[in-house]
Amino acid sequence: MIGYVLRRLLYAIPILIGVNILIFTLFFAVNTPDNMARIHLGLKRVTPDAIAKWKHEHGYDKPLLFNAQAKGAGKITETIFFGKSVPMFAFQFGAADDGRDIGHDIKTRMMPSLALAAPVFLVGLLLYITFALTLAFFRATYVDYAGVVLCVAMMSISGLFYIIGGQFLISKLLHLVPISGYQYGTDAFKFLVLPVAIGVIGGMGGSSRWYRTIFLEEMNRDYVRTARAKGLPERIVLFRHVLKNAMIPILTGVVVVIPTLFMGSLVSESFFGIPGLGSYTIDAIRSQDFAIVHAMVFLGSVLYILGLLLTDISYTWVDPRVRLS
Amino acid sequence: MMVQLTPLWTDWLIYALCVIIAVYIGYTRSKPHLLAPWRKVVRNPTAVASSVILLVFATIGLLDSIHFREALPQADNSGKTVYSAEIISAFDRLAKPLRDHVEKTYSAPLAVNLFAMESVEQADGRVARLFPRLKYAGGHLGKDIDQSTQDQWRLFTKGAISGALLWVLLGFMLNAALATHAKVRFSQMAQRLWRGQTELPWRTLLFTIGIVLWFGSIVWQLAPNYHLFGTDKVGLDVLYLTLKSIRTGLVIGILTTLVMLPFALLFGIMAGYFKGWIDDVIQYIYTVLNSIPSVLLIAAAVLMLQVYMDLNKDAFNSVVERADVRLLFLCLILGVTSWTGLCRLLRAETLKLREFDYVQAAHALGASHWKIMTRHIVPNVMHIVLITITLEFSSLVLAEAVLAYVGVGVDPSMHSWGNMINSARLELAREPMVWWPLAAAFVFMFVLVLAANLFADAVRDAFDPRVQ
Amino acid sequence: MFSYLRVSVCVLLLSLVAACGKAPWNDPYPVSERGKNTLYSVFNERPKHLDPARSYSSNEIVFIGQIYEPPLQYQYLTRPYTLEPLTAQAMPEVQYFNAQGQALATDTAPEHIAYSDYLIHIRPGIYYQPHPAFVQDAQGQYVYHALRPEQIASLQAPTDLPQQAKRELTAEDYVFEIKRLAHPRLNSPIFGLMSDYIMGLKEYGEQLSREDKKLKAQSGVEAYLDLNRYPLSGAQALDRYTYRIRVKGKYAQFKYWLAMPFFSPVPWEVERFYAQPGMKAKNFVLDWFPVGSGPYLLAENNPNKQMVLLKNPNFHGERYPSEGAPGDRESGLLADAGKPIPFIDRAVYTLEKEDIPYWNKFQQGYYDASGISSDTFDQAVKIGGTGDAALTPDMEEKGIQLKTTVATSISYIGFNMQDTVVGGLSDRTRKLRQAISIAIDSEEMISIFRNGRGIAAQGPIPPGIFGYEEGEVGINHYVYDWSKGKPARKAIAEAKRLLAEAGYPGGRDANSGKPLLLNFDTSAVGPDAKAHLEWLVKQLKKIDVQLVIRSTDYNRFQDKMLKGDAQIFEWGWNADYPDPENFLFLLYGPNKKVGSGGENASNYENPEFDRLFEQMKNMENNPARQQIITQMLEIVRRDSPWVWGFYPKNYALYHAWYFNAKPNLMANNGLKYLRIDAQARERKRSQWNQPLLWPIGILVMLIAMVLLPAALAYRRKVHAAPRVRKDK
């Protein structure tokens, strides 16, 4: 087990290098360091001299991937790519292009992101399973049919409608929660109620329908029939047997997203003005702050790989028959 | 009128798609085992109803994919025809009144006045604040503008009645045809049809077509004379915008999967079939791609395209062409971010299939890898492909809206639901609220995605062996 | 089975009730802040630089304008904009000299002046805000100038250090800041400009670069470059309270720069303090933790969420002005005359990136002031019968006040004069440009997109700036006719005639018969931009010309502008100071964007105009200057390098509890004059934000109604379970 985990972690290194190269190529195919300098120096009265200085100060005055002028290993190491990527592996994100320390910003912005994403995840999981189980219980009745139609209808509405509509109704007309914003600590509650509710509702259609299929599949198995034949009440069959066995595909399906909860949600955070990592990424894309974009992609990849690993481990946890080798 | 056909990049792809579908139909017709699941689909009433809706959307999208330039009137006597610089589509020609009736700014659905007050200088030189008359809506009424409500009712009734008549006529013809086919009496067939006792769900089909016809003919009556869904900020007819958005949605939903299909098929099957280092490399590629947040990848790609267009700016002479290339590129990059899922499914399926006896037998008989893959594996994974395409479609249409919000969606000059929803955020904050563009986008998008979802469900039920 | 759902709904509702208590539920601020003398405002973009030598954008100056004090400031109430001393005892004494160093009379012609001296006496007894950098021990040694890295690492903010001290403001601090403009590690945006004017600054910059390289090679990249060791000939302190700036030639606009944060004092101790190794890694730099002598100090700096300004305990004190413009007394702006300022104890600026939440929170009373965007206009303002703006009854009922000003800025559509189709000074392209200028109906644009918040421009100089002329003499008669006492746009037929004369009858090239295609380059994105671009296309369609929108990203657009690849584009300019030179230089040939990277975005170059510009530049505001400006305006109107666009009008809304607000487009230190009534605000907020619960109640009931049959069916099914088994 430990050997397997170690091997997977080693395997992550080439993936992260690949991610770095890809993001570098993409970003610098469209942005020259000169452009970046101009954006960060502002609009009025920018001289070429100031641009050169900025590039030097931020380490963008070297070749991108390969330095033909340097000697020996310097051909690789004296490049923007090397200078900006290697510290990442030690989680040294360095300074953003505007001079602020990225690591510090990530640390302060992680909590709001998590405070939004974790409740959405947990409440959502609970609600979807409950709903799906209800539908499975009433399979092939009007309750089931209406539920599925509801799910499909909910899936067919763009998430933006939920946000726009929710904000308009709850915040603007009913004055129940602040329209947007955030406070640290327990005050965060009133800011999070609406985005969490919308997040849960937005994901309801798709997930519930998926879980329902899983439950139905499980209910057609022999052991369920046996259990029923033994005269166990339907309730017990459903909770003891079906739910327990259906948790395997459900858990392994959702475990992969747990680490990425830290990354926050791009759209929700910017709509509700939550100072999390999602809005941080969007702002960085819009202001073309490469250092931040780079750091966020790196972090995202690490968390994603971690999620895959967790999925594998969760297999062994819920199903003792699976062994990792 | 002389026209010069100017197909756009996405047009070519759409035509190609039509050819592929035609070939597929031709091929399937001769193969009973391939036809069987489709028979199951057409027996499903929901699938029939949703496919009627999808067909209506597809027709509009197709009409909107025939692009051409119109000839300009002769300037001199040289006899040389000069074509307009503006590219329009067949749909634009059909919807000419909608396209040309551009007001100054916002007006509510069916209104005859602008939505906001304006200072207007009157004949006596005084400036008054009033709601100015619209230029086109109700223009045929002239001075009798206060009759507009009656006029709208008249048009509505006319539309409703003619729609109903058409429907009855259609029902008659269908029933007659069915009766001849089944060799029963007309009234007997009508009874069966009415009770839904036919083998295929003809009743559902007739009913859906009836609704479409009814709405269609009402719109047909009202739309040329009034702005049925109002106008937007620069006075464009919202109905026209929503209808134009259909093509954008369809292109994103369909072409994306079409673009990613070759990659997913090739890589997925190769990984599963060859295993070993090929499998490792392919898995490496898709893990790398998967671990980059897709919005970022899309943003970078869209920016790259702009660089390309700026370097080759002479190649893109019109707004339509520029927007089209961006749309195509967006499909490409959405394909790149979404092929990994299908690839993984195909890899898993191929891993299973290659151990089957007949594959092993073919191998032992010395069939080439290529032949085994195309003959034995591809046909047996096609159901996965089909299910994925239909399921992906709706999520891609929805994704377009989110991308527009982030600012990396289709070209701002292209009509799309995403762009409409995006502007609606500002419009909802107005007081009094401008709700109709959002409502129109919502209704059309909802109907399309709902139909697609229902159809996808039916396809999955018919094709997925696990469900059977 | 439904208990999950039921419980979670109940918990949600209960906790909502518990969390909010009596006060409004949607209050975005902590309960502890209620009723305090705090101002609530917004910022919409992370400020990048708070160092006075670096910051140049308005969202940064909002903060540092309250913290730093340059020698001069603009009078708050009087118009036209007038300078007055701030930390200076009086306005600077200017003395002109010839090349031999002889003093010249003030009316000497500019070409005889070799250099001019600005002598500034500052007031004694002004102190900086408390800061650890100033702390000295008994021996006069600075206590915190040699901190250990681990000491620094443990700090949350530099002000966490136990001791803080104050220090008097001296003339040397002003000189130090001028030297910092040339600092090689700072990249001051005005270094290039100022090195053309301030004597010796250019050489000083070169010298510092050399020394800096040497220093870095010797003792590492973070070594402290001590500017005190290098004197600058152009700026010197003559005694503790007097300094002199020496400017090359005559630069009449220099006094305006002395009211900008670039010329604020910076104490060397602070620069030394922040230069300690380990400070930069913690973001402890002057760029993030400003130290000034102004009325406020930056207490919290979290650009991700909020910035907080607190009253500076060491502020030297100032009194509310007792003179104002006509009408100020009537509108109550002089009620506080002579009272000590600042009035407000604390100002909280919240990050608000989008207009809509900003506007909604303003209406709910959570922000004290707001601008008006086009989409909220109808809700707030109605235009009266006479064309004046007035508030809607809704807003009036809330006690909201409206202030309008014409901004000292211009928004225009430029032609790239180097383009082969639209550029050049030939008769043909000039007529094409004039035709387009007529076709693009700025009045309609102002009415649709800005709801009348603007004035169609007649030339580059906006109202309120010397050189702008009212009435018939001031109109652009290439685009307008004077009729019935106001300018009237020429008819489209006239535009079509001009277009035909330019060689494009009916919008088609007379030679080839091909339709005329023009390109509009833009980096604008977003829904509002989309509508605007569609509108532009519609305008040119009126004269049968097709406009192709080439939208691109911001970088690419800048690049195009620099290379001169753009054809038609939109651009704007905000005045640095209230002088026509600051607008006319946008069309001055040597200032071209292509090649010299200047601010002349349309690359316009007309020798006659350039000659007149040089003549006009250093003149005082007198009729002779007006005459030259009128000539210059005639030249550019004829050449039409810009479609003149419009001068934006700013509408600002203030709540009833907000006093002494008067938009001042030049002054950036207005916070100290403002006063709020926190009690009134508290009352209004709870009055406006009563939560409405009944729709939620109905919703819950609806859900219950849907669930009830399901629950019944569940019971039935459970009881019927044996029968189900039999069926199977």
Side-chain angles (χ1 to χ4, degrees), chain C residues 566-712:
Chain C
Q567 193 171 49
I568 306 177
F569 54 89
E570 221 160 359
W571 207 260
W573 181 256
N574 252 321
D576 287 320
Y577 42 79
D579 192 89
E581 183 263 355
N582 199 240
F583 284 92
L584 292 171
F585 92 114
L586 299 172
L587 291 161
Y588 179 53
N591 231 335
K592 276 194 296 196
K593 189 129 223 150
V594 176
S596 49
E599 295 299 336
N600 179 353
S602 63
N603 304 307
Y604 174 69
E605 188 164 23
N606 184 321
E608 178 63 10
F609 181 88
D610 292 351
R611 191 183 62 76
L612 289 169
F613 177 80
E614 275 154 33
Q615 204 179 336
M616 178 279 310
K617 195 167 71 167
N618 281 323
M619 288 172 81
E620 302 295 329
N621 287 345
N622 53 30
R625 196 179 197 207
Q626 177 67 59
Q627 205 187 346
I628 297 178
I629 291 175
T630 310
Q631 278 180 47
M632 294 172 76
L633 290 180
E634 166 59 25
I635 295 172
V636 289
R637 280 170 183 158
R638 180 159 171 269
D639 285 341
S640 303
W642 300 355
V643 175
W644 300 103
F646 64 96
Y647 315 121
K649 241 189 216 173
N650 291 348
Y651 280 42
L653 293 172
Y654 308 109
H655 278 297
W657 55 77
Y658 193 81
F659 300 99
N660 299 340
K662 179 168 182 178
N664 186 322
L665 300 157
M666 289 298 147
N668 45 43
N669 54 0
L671 179 60
K672 60 185 175 188
Y673 303 105
L674 300 176
R675 183 164 59 80
I676 53 156
D677 180 347
Q679 259 54 49
R681 175 168 68 190
E682 220 46 58
R683 278 196 304 276
K684 291 284 185 189
R685 278 185 184 174
S686 35
Q687 186 190 330
W688 293 338
N689 292 298
Q690 282 310 308
L692 288 170
L693 273 179
W694 59 266
I696 298 293
I698 290 183
L699 191 74
V700 171
M701 266 163 59
L702 274 176
I703 293 176
M705 271 164 63
V706 173
L707 288 183
L708 195 69
L712 288 176

Side-chain angles (χ1 to χ4, degrees), chain A residues 14-15 18-19 22-23 26 30 152-153 155-156 160-161 164 168 209 266-267 270-271 285-286 293 297 301 304, chain B residues 284 287 290-292 295-297 303-304 398 401-402 405-406 421 425 428 433 438 442 446 449-450 453 457:
Chain A
I15 292 180
V19 168
L22 189 66
I23 200 71
L26 280 180
V30 293
V152 177
M155 277 169 69
S156 308
L160 294 177
F161 284 113
I164 293 174
F168 182 77
R209 201 167 67 131
L266 296 179
V267 175
S270 20
F271 258 101
I285 294 177
R286 288 185 179 158
V293 170
V297 169
S301 313
Y304 176 76
Chain B
Y284 173 74
T287 320
N290 253 359
S291 57
I292 298 180
V295 171
L296 219 107
L297 210 62
L303 292 180
M304 263 169 70
L398 295 177
V402 174
Y405 169 72
V406 181
I421 295 172
R425 290 189 305 129
L428 282 185
M433 190 167 74
L438 183 73
F442 174 78
F446 179 68
V449 176
L450 187 64
N453 274 332
D457 267 6

Side-chain angles (χ1 to χ4, degrees), chain B residues 306-457:
Chain B
Q306 272 165 355
V307 177
Y308 174 77
M309 287 208 287
D310 286 331
L311 293 179
N312 302 288
K313 56 181 175 225
D314 297 331
F316 309 102
N317 265 332
S318 69
V319 191
V320 177
E321 280 170 295
R322 289 177 64 90
D324 182 70
V325 173
R326 177 154 170 179
L327 176 65
L328 178 67
F329 211 76
L330 198 66
C331 290
L332 278 175
I333 194 68
L334 276 170
V336 169
T337 57
S338 62
W339 67 278
T340 50
L342 180 59
C343 184
R344 189 176 297 172
L345 285 176
L346 289 176
R347 174 179 165 271
E349 189 69 18
T350 315
L351 274 175
K352 232 188 297 168
L353 284 175
R354 77 187 294 276
E355 303 302 330
F356 279 16
D357 294 343
Y358 64 92
V359 178
Q360 296 294 335
H363 202 66
L365 289 173
S368 70
H369 291 312
W370 178 250
K371 203 162 182 184
I372 295 176
M373 280 198 277
T374 49
R375 283 282 166 81
H376 300 291
I377 295 184
V378 172
N380 286 307
V381 296
M382 274 328 267
H383 68 276
I384 297 185
V385 173
L386 206 69
I387 293 169
T388 315
I389 290 181
T390 46
L391 285 177
E392 268 300 78
F393 174 81
S394 47
S395 60
L396 284 167
V397 175
L398 295 177
E400 189 264 327
V402 174
L403 289 181
Y405 169 72
V406 181
V408 294
V410 297
D411 193 86
S413 70
M414 180 162 248
H415 303 301
S416 83
W417 291 317
N419 282 340
M420 285 174 80
I421 295 172
N422 210 358
S423 359
R425 290 189 305 129
L426 300 177
E427 288 159 357
L428 282 185
R430 285 178 83 103
E431 193 87 24
M433 190 167 74
V434 172
W435 49 270
W436 49 91
L438 183 73
F442 174 78
V443 168
F444 274 70
M445 203 166 164
F446 179 68
V447 170
L448 175 65
V449 176
L450 187 64
N453 274 332
L454 293 174
F455 188 71
D457 267 6

Side-chain angles (χ1 to χ4, degrees), chain A residues 90-113:
Chain A
F91 293 96
Q92 293 289 317
F93 298 118
D97 293 339
D98 64 2
R100 283 182 69 86
D101 188 59
I102 297 177
H104 183 258
D105 268 354
I106 290 183
K107 252 180 265 158
T108 51
R109 279 176 167 264
M110 208 171 221
M111 277 325 284
S113 273

